[in-house]
Amino acid sequence: MAGSSFGKEFQISTWGESHGPGIGVVIDGCPSGLSLCASDIQKYLNRRKPGQNAYTTARKEADEAEILSGVFEGRTTGTPISILVRNTDQRSHDYSQIKECYRPGHADYTFDVKYGFRDYRGGGRSSGRETIGRVAGGAVASALLKELGITVTAYTKAIGPYEIPTEEYDLSVISSSPLFMPHLGYSKKAEAYLKECMEKKDSAGGIIECIIEGMPAGIGEPVFQKLDALLAHAMLSIGSVKGFEIGSGFSASRSKGSLNNDAFCMDEGKIVKKTNHAGGVLGGMSDGSPVLFRVAIKPTPSISSMQHTVTSGLEDTQISIHGRHDPVIVPRAVVVVESMAAVTVADLLLQNMHSSMDGVRRFYL
């Protein structure tokens, strides 16, 4: 199985399965001398770990990060950083009754078609627990970006039909909402909606928005390595993501050039934009304004409502999925989106050091 690595200069390679002994990541290309300890990574893992409230799976995992290499006396050494999180609360028998069935919305069928074999215990590599490695890698990338004055902030913009208008955001309350929404009123409405879904043995989807601030202009390449294209690649590699848009996104198709174009102006000797319909990216390169994008998250496919499917023996059947599953993926995916954005930006920044002689001189002299 190829395709478990992302990035060039700052590269993460995730490994492990949902019901195996553990799961983790190897990070290659992190510069030496970066202050880093297990608690820095744990802060990020705590935001995605299960069992925190009524809207997450009841699976109880501490998700404790163990740094196995690449860090000495609280600083990175420049060698590969290996991080392990042990699985401690698997219930593989929950899946024994459905091991011959292709679960709707899951990768069971495509795994069988491609490999002729699959790990039916929670989905193996396609399980949401794979994102632990992404989050651990993102924690390291975020620490690197912080040193450069760049911050990445993701939050829940919508759950089902409840979408927060941009002008009503209050980013200070994100951590106070169990759904990580920047508006407690909308969070309460979304919570009530989720309870209705759970009572009906159903699930919900939503939208995550992410803003990257402090980005210098000129990061990204103008053709196949566009900043927005790489962000889209990173986001769509997350299992539950079904859509990506940047800036005005699809609403730009209903606008006019006179409205959608971001006018340039001078502000204290610097070139800035009056608006940000482009989402901080022009021609595939950052333009110095905040990078703003959104991703669409599908409803959790594991639901206890009866669904029609077929077996690996090519027989029609019905299936009701029981066990410990999130009624909504969105809240725990917030930090995954944030982490993959950080990895993407960190990788491009390290590549950009060599894109001009000025960059080379700044790096080596």
Side-chain angles (χ1 to χ4, degrees), residues 110-175:
T110 47
F111 258 83
D112 257 1
V113 170
K114 184 174 178 65
Y115 299 105
F117 178 81
R118 67 183 172 91
D119 183 348
Y120 62 83
R121 305 166 304 165
R125 284 293 287 162
S126 63
S127 166
R129 279 192 71 74
E130 181 272 337
T131 61
I132 284 175
R134 298 168 184 255
V135 172
V140 178
S142 295
L144 173 60
L145 296 181
K146 185 178 179 180
E147 293 288 317
L148 302 174
I150 299 171
T151 60
V152 184
T153 306
Y155 43 84
T156 301
K157 181 175 178 63
I159 295 287
Y162 296 100
E163 181 170 338
I164 309 171
T166 303
E167 62 274 12
E168 295 186 35
Y169 287 173
D170 181 358
L171 301 185
S172 68
V173 304
I174 293 174
S175 60

Side-chain angles (χ1 to χ4, degrees), residues 251-273:
S251 66
S253 67
R254 302 185 295 273
S255 186
K256 298 178 181 178
S258 57
L259 300 174
N260 190 66
N261 289 342
D262 299 311
F264 289 107
C265 62
M266 297 301 299
D267 183 17
E268 298 181 353
K270 294 182 179 180
I271 298 176
V272 298
K273 300 186 311 182

Side-chain angles (χ1 to χ4, degrees), residues 223-236:
V223 185
F224 295 117
Q225 299 295 308
K226 296 177 186 288
L227 170 57
D228 43 352
L230 292 173
L231 284 170
H233 177 187
M235 296 307 127
L236 289 166

Side-chain angles (χ1 to χ4, degrees), residues 3 5 8 12 69 71 103 145 186 220 222 247 258 271-272 279 295 310 314-315 322 329 360-361:
S5 298
K8 293 182 178 180
I12 64 169
S69 66
V71 178
R103 294 170 296 172
L145 296 181
Y186 276 87
S258 57
I271 298 176
V272 298
V295 295
V310 298
L314 306 182
E315 297 178 343
H322 298 282
I329 297 170
V360 172
R361 291 189 186 98

Side-chain angles (χ1 to χ4, degrees), residues 38 47 141:
R47 292 166 58 193

Side-chain angles (χ1 to χ4, degrees), residues 227 246-247 273 276-282 285-292:
L227 170 57
I246 189 163
K273 300 186 311 182
N276 192 23
H277 296 294
V281 181
L282 292 170
M285 296 165 283
S286 57
D287 61 25
S289 52
V291 176
L292 183 69

Side-chain angles (χ1 to χ4, degrees), residues 21-38:
I23 205 157
V25 64
V26 176
I27 305 158
D28 205 2
C30 181
S32 62
L34 177 68
S35 177
L36 186 71
C37 61

